[in-house]
Short mmCIF file of all heavy atoms in Angstrom, two decimals:
data_model
loop_
_atom_site.label_atom_id
_atom_site.label_comp_id
_atom_site.label_asym_id
_atom_site.label_seq_id
_atom_site.Cartn_x
_atom_site.Cartn_y
_atom_site.Cartn_z
N ARG G 162 -17.12 19.45 -23.09
CA ARG G 162 -16.41 18.78 -21.98
C ARG G 162 -15.08 19.46 -21.68
O ARG G 162 -14.74 19.65 -20.51
CB ARG G 162 -16.25 17.30 -22.28
CG ARG G 162 -17.52 16.50 -22.05
CD ARG G 162 -17.25 15.01 -21.89
NE ARG G 162 -16.80 14.40 -23.13
CZ ARG G 162 -17.60 13.81 -24.01
NH1 ARG G 162 -18.89 13.73 -23.77
NH2 ARG G 162 -17.12 13.26 -25.09
N PRO G 163 -14.29 19.89 -22.71
CA PRO G 163 -13.10 20.66 -22.39
C PRO G 163 -13.37 21.95 -21.64
O PRO G 163 -12.61 22.32 -20.71
CB PRO G 163 -12.49 20.94 -23.76
CG PRO G 163 -12.94 19.78 -24.62
CD PRO G 163 -14.34 19.48 -24.12
N LEU G 164 -14.47 22.62 -21.98
CA LEU G 164 -14.85 23.84 -21.28
C LEU G 164 -15.13 23.54 -19.80
O LEU G 164 -14.72 24.29 -18.89
CB LEU G 164 -16.05 24.45 -21.96
CG LEU G 164 -16.40 25.91 -21.62
CD1 LEU G 164 -15.26 26.85 -22.05
CD2 LEU G 164 -17.71 26.32 -22.33
N ALA G 165 -15.80 22.40 -19.55
CA ALA G 165 -16.06 22.04 -18.17
C ALA G 165 -14.76 21.69 -17.43
O ALA G 165 -14.65 21.98 -16.22
CB ALA G 165 -16.99 20.80 -18.15
N ARG G 166 -13.78 21.12 -18.12
CA ARG G 166 -12.51 20.83 -17.45
C ARG G 166 -11.79 22.13 -17.10
O ARG G 166 -11.13 22.18 -16.05
CB ARG G 166 -11.65 19.96 -18.37
CG ARG G 166 -12.17 18.56 -18.55
CD ARG G 166 -11.26 17.71 -19.42
NE ARG G 166 -11.98 16.51 -19.83
CZ ARG G 166 -12.15 16.08 -21.10
NH1 ARG G 166 -11.60 16.80 -22.07
NH2 ARG G 166 -12.81 14.99 -21.36
N ILE G 167 -11.87 23.12 -17.94
CA ILE G 167 -11.29 24.41 -17.61
C ILE G 167 -11.95 24.98 -16.36
O ILE G 167 -11.27 25.45 -15.45
CB ILE G 167 -11.46 25.39 -18.80
CG1 ILE G 167 -10.68 24.90 -20.01
CG2 ILE G 167 -11.02 26.79 -18.40
CD1 ILE G 167 -11.01 25.65 -21.30
N ARG G 168 -13.28 24.93 -16.31
CA ARG G 168 -14.01 25.42 -15.13
C ARG G 168 -13.61 24.64 -13.88
O ARG G 168 -13.30 25.21 -12.84
CB ARG G 168 -15.53 25.25 -15.38
CG ARG G 168 -16.42 25.71 -14.24
CD ARG G 168 -17.80 25.09 -14.39
NE ARG G 168 -17.74 23.63 -14.31
CZ ARG G 168 -18.57 22.82 -15.00
NH1 ARG G 168 -19.48 23.32 -15.82
NH2 ARG G 168 -18.46 21.49 -14.86
N ASP G 169 -13.59 23.32 -13.97
CA ASP G 169 -13.36 22.50 -12.78
C ASP G 169 -11.90 22.60 -12.28
O ASP G 169 -11.64 22.37 -11.11
CB ASP G 169 -13.70 21.05 -13.08
CG ASP G 169 -15.19 20.84 -13.36
OD1 ASP G 169 -15.98 21.73 -13.00
OD2 ASP G 169 -15.54 19.79 -13.91
N SER G 170 -10.97 22.94 -13.18
CA SER G 170 -9.57 23.04 -12.79
C SER G 170 -9.29 24.25 -11.90
O SER G 170 -8.29 24.24 -11.16
CB SER G 170 -8.69 23.08 -14.01
OG SER G 170 -8.79 24.34 -14.67
N GLY G 171 -10.12 25.24 -12.00
CA GLY G 171 -9.88 26.49 -11.26
C GLY G 171 -8.78 27.36 -11.82
O GLY G 171 -8.42 28.37 -11.24
N VAL G 172 -8.28 27.01 -13.00
CA VAL G 172 -7.17 27.77 -13.62
C VAL G 172 -7.65 29.18 -13.98
O VAL G 172 -6.93 30.16 -13.82
CB VAL G 172 -6.64 27.03 -14.83
CG1 VAL G 172 -5.63 27.90 -15.59
CG2 VAL G 172 -5.98 25.73 -14.44
N VAL G 173 -8.88 29.29 -14.47
CA VAL G 173 -9.45 30.60 -14.82
C VAL G 173 -10.23 31.09 -13.57
O VAL G 173 -11.35 30.69 -13.33
CB VAL G 173 -10.38 30.52 -16.04
CG1 VAL G 173 -10.97 31.91 -16.35
CG2 VAL G 173 -9.59 29.97 -17.22
N GLU G 174 -9.61 31.97 -12.78
CA GLU G 174 -10.20 32.42 -11.54
C GLU G 174 -11.19 33.54 -11.72
O GLU G 174 -12.10 33.72 -10.90
CB GLU G 174 -9.09 32.83 -10.59
CG GLU G 174 -8.12 31.72 -10.20
CD GLU G 174 -7.03 32.18 -9.28
OE1 GLU G 174 -6.90 33.42 -9.07
OE2 GLU G 174 -6.27 31.34 -8.78
N ASP G 175 -11.07 34.28 -12.79
CA ASP G 175 -11.95 35.43 -13.04
C ASP G 175 -13.26 34.90 -13.65
O ASP G 175 -13.28 34.37 -14.77
CB ASP G 175 -11.27 36.39 -14.01
CG ASP G 175 -12.02 37.71 -14.13
OD1 ASP G 175 -13.27 37.67 -14.19
OD2 ASP G 175 -11.36 38.76 -14.21
N ALA G 176 -14.36 35.08 -12.93
CA ALA G 176 -15.64 34.57 -13.39
C ALA G 176 -16.05 35.25 -14.69
O ALA G 176 -16.73 34.60 -15.52
CB ALA G 176 -16.71 34.80 -12.32
N ASP G 177 -15.71 36.51 -14.89
CA ASP G 177 -16.07 37.20 -16.11
C ASP G 177 -15.34 36.60 -17.30
O ASP G 177 -15.87 36.48 -18.42
CB ASP G 177 -15.75 38.69 -15.99
CG ASP G 177 -16.69 39.40 -15.04
OD1 ASP G 177 -17.79 38.86 -14.75
OD2 ASP G 177 -16.28 40.47 -14.54
N VAL G 178 -14.07 36.24 -17.11
CA VAL G 178 -13.29 35.64 -18.20
C VAL G 178 -13.87 34.27 -18.57
O VAL G 178 -14.07 33.98 -19.74
CB VAL G 178 -11.79 35.51 -17.81
CG1 VAL G 178 -11.04 34.70 -18.85
CG2 VAL G 178 -11.18 36.89 -17.65
N TYR G 179 -14.18 33.47 -17.54
CA TYR G 179 -14.79 32.17 -17.85
C TYR G 179 -16.14 32.36 -18.53
O TYR G 179 -16.49 31.62 -19.45
CB TYR G 179 -14.92 31.30 -16.59
CG TYR G 179 -15.49 29.94 -16.94
CD1 TYR G 179 -14.69 28.97 -17.52
CD2 TYR G 179 -16.83 29.68 -16.75
CE1 TYR G 179 -15.24 27.76 -17.88
CE2 TYR G 179 -17.38 28.46 -17.12
CZ TYR G 179 -16.58 27.51 -17.68
OH TYR G 179 -17.11 26.30 -18.07
N GLY G 180 -16.92 33.33 -18.05
CA GLY G 180 -18.20 33.59 -18.70
C GLY G 180 -18.05 33.98 -20.18
O GLY G 180 -18.88 33.57 -20.99
N GLU G 181 -17.00 34.70 -20.48
CA GLU G 181 -16.73 35.05 -21.87
C GLU G 181 -16.41 33.81 -22.71
O GLU G 181 -16.84 33.66 -23.83
CB GLU G 181 -15.61 36.06 -21.99
CG GLU G 181 -15.37 36.55 -23.42
CD GLU G 181 -14.38 37.66 -23.49
OE1 GLU G 181 -13.57 37.83 -22.55
OE2 GLU G 181 -14.37 38.38 -24.50
N LEU G 182 -15.63 32.88 -22.11
CA LEU G 182 -15.31 31.63 -22.82
C LEU G 182 -16.62 30.88 -23.13
O LEU G 182 -16.80 30.37 -24.22
CB LEU G 182 -14.40 30.76 -21.95
CG LEU G 182 -12.99 31.22 -21.75
CD1 LEU G 182 -12.24 30.24 -20.83
CD2 LEU G 182 -12.24 31.35 -23.08
N GLU G 183 -17.53 30.82 -22.15
CA GLU G 183 -18.79 30.15 -22.38
C GLU G 183 -19.59 30.80 -23.49
O GLU G 183 -20.21 30.12 -24.33
CB GLU G 183 -19.58 30.12 -21.08
CG GLU G 183 -19.08 29.14 -20.03
CD GLU G 183 -20.06 28.97 -18.89
OE1 GLU G 183 -20.58 30.02 -18.42
OE2 GLU G 183 -20.31 27.84 -18.47
#
Side-chain angles (χ1 to χ4, degrees):
R162 283 199 291 267
L164 197 62
R166 292 182 194 125
I167 296 168
R168 178 198 64 212
D169 295 343
S170 73
V172 173
V173 180
E174 297 179 352
D175 189 321
D177 290 338
V178 172
Y179 182 77
E181 185 174 19
L182 291 178
E183 286 190 316

